[in-house]
Amino acid sequence: MKMTKILIYLGIVLAVFAGCSNDTSEEAEADSPQANDESGSQDKAASDKEKDKSASEQEDPTTENEQQSEGSASTEGAESNSSKEKEDILAQYSNEQIEYARVWRQLGPNQEIEKLNVRHIPAGTKLNAKDDTSMVYPEDVIQLSGVRLVDGSVTYSGNGDGTINVYDIPLRWDGVYPAGEKFYNDLLENNEQIAIDPGEDKEIAELIKRIQMQN
């Protein structure tokens, strides 16, 4: 009976000793330098990965630049196409035709004319062929008019720099003749220099289609 108690006591002691040994081993393993190194390495690797990702986004904004570049290229392409279409409207016409239409668009009394008559008058031509006292044009001029007197007319000479000299010459002469040289000389000297605006290409093109050259 005594021996049995001794054996039971020894069993209890051994069990307690074994439990303490396991706890000590686990604590030692957790506190060991190798375990700490492995844990620190994992944390450091994760931190380095985040830093690399952040640096990559800051130093290499390729995606954002590419998107901006594509957007800019798209806008420039649209503007280029629009400008090209605008130029193409008048590309089929001569500079002279464009000039006639622009002059009439700015100065013509009637914009709804059926035809835009264009007559070239050479230098030395009398202003009024029916009056012997009439002065002559000192330079080549162009006379624009409609098919009716009420459409009005524009008589001018071009300066080649976007401006023209406009003469106040009537399309039809009404009055008492001979009028005298001073009358005609005043008409010539009182010409006005005017800068011609390009205007809207579509409107200019429509006027060009109505041009009718006169002898």
Side-chain angles (χ1 to χ4, degrees):
M1 185 71 175
K2 185 177 181 180
M3 180 62 67
T4 301
K5 291 181 178 180
I6 293 172
L7 291 175
I8 292 174
Y9 176 77
L10 288 175
I12 293 172
V13 171
L14 290 173
V16 171
F17 179 78
C20 292
S21 177
N22 289 337
D23 292 341
T24 303
S25 177
E26 290 176 358
E27 291 177 0
E29 182 178 355
D31 294 337
S32 69
Q34 182 177 0
N36 290 336
D37 288 346
E38 290 178 356
S39 176
S41 297
Q42 291 176 354
D43 293 341
K44 185 174 184 303
S47 177
D48 291 343
K49 185 175 181 181
E50 290 296 325
K51 290 181 180 179
D52 291 343
K53 181 179 180 181
S54 176
S56 176
E57 291 176 351
Q58 293 178 359
E59 296 178 1
D60 187 22
T62 305
T63 302
E64 181 178 355
N65 289 341
E66 287 179 351
Q67 292 176 347
Q68 293 178 351
S69 177
E70 290 176 358
S72 176
S74 177
T75 302
E76 291 176 357
E79 292 177 352
S80 177
N81 291 336
S82 177
S83 177
K84 184 177 180 181
E85 290 176 0
K86 183 176 181 181
E87 292 177 357
D88 288 343
I89 294 176
L90 300 179
Q92 58 184 311
Y93 303 114
S94 67
N95 292 335
E96 290 77 11
Q97 291 174 313
I98 295 173
E99 176 186 287
Y100 306 149
R102 283 175 174 171
V103 170
W104 189 264
R105 177 66 186 83
Q106 184 170 336
L107 303 175
N110 180 17
Q111 296 297 309
E112 302 300 327
I113 54 175
E114 297 177 9
K115 295 291 182 181
L116 177 57
N117 293 327
V118 179
R119 179 188 174 202
H120 286 258
I121 304 175
T125 302
K126 284 185 176 182
L127 275 66
N128 184 358
K130 297 179 180 180
D131 189 350
D132 293 337
T133 63
S134 173
M135 300 289 288
V136 300
Y137 288 103
E139 59 182 341
D140 295 343
V141 298
I142 298 168
Q143 190 175 70
L144 307 177
S145 63
V147 295
R148 304 173 300 170
L149 287 175
V150 293
D151 292 332
S153 64
V154 179
T155 303
Y156 75 96
S157 64
N159 296 318
D161 60 356
T163 66
I164 61 173
N165 302 317
V166 180
Y167 294 92
D168 187 16
I169 307 297
L171 187 62
R172 185 175 69 182
W173 296 93
D174 293 322
V176 179
Y177 303 106
E181 291 183 0
K182 184 180 183 306
F183 170 76
Y184 295 105
N185 191 58
D186 289 343
L187 292 177
L188 292 174
E189 290 185 351
N190 292 331
N191 69 80
E192 182 181 4
Q193 187 178 80
I194 297 177
I196 298 301
D197 296 327
E200 293 293 332
D201 287 358
K202 289 184 178 180
E203 294 180 354
I204 300 304
E206 286 300 317
L207 281 171
I208 291 176
K209 295 175 183 179
R210 305 176 199 174
I211 288 177
Q212 183 170 284
M213 302 301 296
Q214 303 290 309
N215 294 329

